[in-house]
Amino acid sequence: MTKKKPLLNWSLTFIAIASIGYGLYHYKSSEIKTAMAQTQPEFPSPINAVTVDYSDYKERVTVPAEIVAPESLMLTNNFAGKITYLDLQSGSVVKKGQKLLQVDISEELAQLKTAKARSTLANNELARAKELHRKKLASDAALDQAQADAQINQAEVARIQAIISKKTIYAPFDGIVGLHTLSVGEYLAPNSQVANLVTEQPLLWVDFDLSQVQSQRLSGDKVEMVIENHPKTEFANIIAKEPVVNAQTRGVKYRAELQKTADMNLSPGTFVEVKLQQGQSKPKIKLPKHAVLRQQSSRFVYVLVPEKEGTYRAQRRDVSVFQDDSEFSYVSSGLKVGEQVVSSGAFKLYPNQLVSIKQADAQATK
C-alpha cells in the first residue's frame, strides 16, 4: 500500500499540471484570435435597399378558368354516303371556303341534269305564253300556269343543288384541322363527327365563373393569368359576362380576352387560374418578393441600421406576410414606414453583418 501512494500522487500531479497547461493554451489562443479579429478590417457587403412605405392593396381571389378559341366547331355531315373527295389532313391549316370533304353525289348530279332540262323547257314555254298573251292569243290562266311551271322547275333545281351542297363540307373559317381517321371510300352515317376545326388567331378567350359575392366585389376589368411553366405575368381583359346567374351553380360566367404569344403553351380546353381584385383599396406594406426570406415556418427581412461612414448593420427581423404574388410580398406586421430593407442580396447575409447600399431601389409602391 505504501508503494502505491507515491505513484498515485505523481499521477494526480501530472493530470493537474496538464489541465493547467491546456487551460493556459486555450486562453492564450482565444486572446490571439480576438486580437487578430480586432486588427483585421471589416469590409461591408454591397446590397440593394428599398424604403418601406404603404401601397394601395386590394384583396384578390384565385379561380379556375378555361381557355376557349373564339372560333371552334366540330365538322359534321348532313347526309349519309360514301366519301368520294377528301382534302382534310390532320393538323393541316385550311382557308375559309376550302372544299374539305364530299360524299357520293352521282345520283344528285343526274337528277340535277334532268331538273335543269325541265327548267329550261319551262322557261321557253313561259316566254311563248307571254308572247301569245301579249297578242291576246292566250288566256290569263294559261300564262299563270306557264309561270307556275317555270317556278316549280327552278325550285327543283335549287333543291337538288342544296342537297349537293349539304353533301359537301367547306371550311367556314381559317383554322387548323384536328385528328381524324377518315379515308376515301369510307361510308359516313348522317350527322357523323368528322374532325375539329379551330381558328388560328393570336387572341384567346378565358372563361371563368365567380360566385355572386365575388361578382359583386369584382374591381377592375383586368385579370392576372397563372399559366403553368410560364414565368412571365400575363393579363387578360374582361370583355363580357352572362347577364343572368346560373340556376344550378348560382354563379356568374365571365369572359376575358388574352393576347397569345409564341412562348405560351396554351390550347383551347386548357385549364388555368386567374387572379382577380376584390373590394376597395387598403394601405399595406409591399416589398419585393426576394426581399422577404423564409426559414422553416418563419418569414424575415434584413433591416438596415446606420453604422458609420455610409455603412449599415443588417439586422434580422421577423415579419408577418399575409399574401404573396408573382412579384411582391404584402407585410401585415413587423416593419415601420421609413425603414430601409435589403431588397437584393439578402440571401447571402448573416445577422448584424456590415453592409453598404450599392443601389437604392424605387419604392415598392411605384
Side-chain angles (χ1 to χ4, degrees):
M1 294 294 291
T2 57
K3 292 182 179 181
K4 291 182 178 180
K5 283 185 178 180
L7 181 61
L8 179 61
N9 291 335
W10 278 107
S11 299
L12 293 174
T13 302
F14 177 77
I15 293 172
I17 293 172
S19 300
I20 293 171
Y22 177 77
L24 290 173
Y25 170 77
H26 183 71
Y27 175 74
K28 286 295 184 181
S29 297
S30 299
E31 283 190 337
I32 292 172
K33 289 180 179 179
T34 302
M36 291 178 64
Q38 291 176 349
T39 57
Q40 289 181 352
E42 184 180 7
F43 295 101
S45 178
I47 51 90
N48 291 353
V50 64
T51 301
V52 176
D53 202 353
Y54 284 120
S55 172
D56 288 338
Y57 167 79
K58 288 185 178 181
E59 180 186 349
R60 298 198 299 175
V61 295
T62 302
V63 297
E66 181 183 4
I67 301 298
V68 179
E71 290 182 307
S72 175
L73 58 81
M74 172 62 72
L75 298 172
T76 58
N77 66 308
N78 292 294
F79 289 92
K82 183 176 66 175
I83 298 175
T84 57
Y85 178 88
L86 186 65
D87 185 14
L88 198 66
Q89 185 176 354
S90 297
S92 63
V93 177
V94 296
K95 297 298 182 181
K96 181 179 180 179
Q98 180 178 333
K99 185 178 178 181
L100 305 178
L101 179 146
Q102 189 175 66
V103 297
D104 184 22
I105 57 170
S106 57
E107 184 177 346
E108 285 76 18
L109 289 176
Q111 293 175 356
L112 180 61
K113 188 175 182 180
T114 301
K116 285 184 175 180
R118 289 175 177 171
S119 179
T120 300
L121 178 60
N123 288 335
N124 292 336
E125 290 179 351
L126 175 59
R128 285 193 292 270
K130 287 181 178 180
E131 181 64 21
L132 292 173
H133 185 269
R134 185 181 65 82
K135 295 178 179 180
K136 308 296 184 180
L137 298 176
S139 64
D140 292 343
L143 178 60
D144 292 342
Q145 183 63 50
Q147 288 177 336
D149 290 342
Q151 291 175 356
I152 290 172
N153 282 281
Q154 289 173 0
E156 179 64 12
V157 171
R159 185 188 70 83
I160 298 172
Q161 288 175 335
I163 293 175
I164 293 174
S165 178
K166 289 182 178 181
K167 285 192 171 185
T168 308
I169 297 178
Y170 296 92
F173 50 80
D174 295 351
I176 301 175
V177 178
L179 303 180
H180 70 85
T181 58
L182 300 177
S183 59
V184 174
E186 183 175 345
Y187 178 82
L188 276 184
N191 300 317
S192 296
Q193 293 186 346
V194 175
N196 279 308
L197 182 64
V198 180
T199 184
E200 189 179 26
Q201 292 185 7
L203 290 178
L204 293 173
W205 288 341
V206 185
D207 287 359
F208 56 93
D209 292 301
L210 297 180
S211 68
Q212 294 183 59
V213 174
Q214 291 171 338
S215 178
Q216 292 169 358
R217 300 187 67 233
L218 181 62
S219 175
D221 58 357
K222 285 185 178 292
V223 297
E224 180 182 342
M225 304 291 300
V226 181
I227 304 173
E228 188 175 358
N229 299 324
H230 185 70
K232 293 195 302 182
T233 301
E234 304 289 348
F235 292 92
N237 295 315
I238 296 176
I239 58 173
K241 77 168 187 174
E242 283 285 359
V244 296
V245 175
N246 186 286
Q248 281 74 39
T249 64
R250 294 300 171 186
V252 181
K253 182 177 287 294
Y254 283 79
R255 173 166 291 169
E257 192 174 65
L258 174 67
Q259 186 75 31
K260 183 181 178 182
T261 58
D263 57 344
M264 289 185 193
N265 186 22
L266 291 178
S267 300
T270 302
F271 282 95
V272 295
E273 289 184 336
V274 294
K275 294 182 178 180
L276 307 101
Q277 294 184 342
Q278 298 271 283
Q280 301 297 320
S281 298
K282 299 177 182 178
K284 295 291 183 181
I285 291 176
K286 180 171 70 173
L287 294 177
K289 194 171 183 178
H290 48 263
V292 183
L293 305 179
R294 185 189 299 271
Q295 186 176 37
Q296 296 180 349
S297 60
S298 63
R299 307 288 293 275
F300 66 93
V301 298
Y302 281 108
V303 178
L304 299 182
V305 178
E307 182 77 1
K308 59 181 179 179
E309 298 178 357
T311 60
Y312 301 82
R313 291 289 175 183
Q315 292 188 352
R316 170 175 167 161
R317 186 182 299 176
D318 290 344
V319 295
S320 297
V321 176
F322 66 91
Q323 185 165 330
D324 293 301
D325 60 24
S326 58
E327 298 182 33
F328 299 102
S329 293
Y330 296 88
V331 177
S332 57
S333 63
L335 291 174
K336 296 179 181 179
V337 173
E339 291 183 312
Q340 286 185 299
V341 173
V342 177
S343 61
S344 178
F347 67 93
K348 63 183 180 181
L349 301 180
Y350 56 84
N352 211 39
Q353 184 176 351
L354 188 67
V355 297
S356 62
I357 298 177
K358 178 177 64 175
Q359 178 180 338
D361 295 337
Q363 292 181 350
T365 56
K366 296 181 181 179

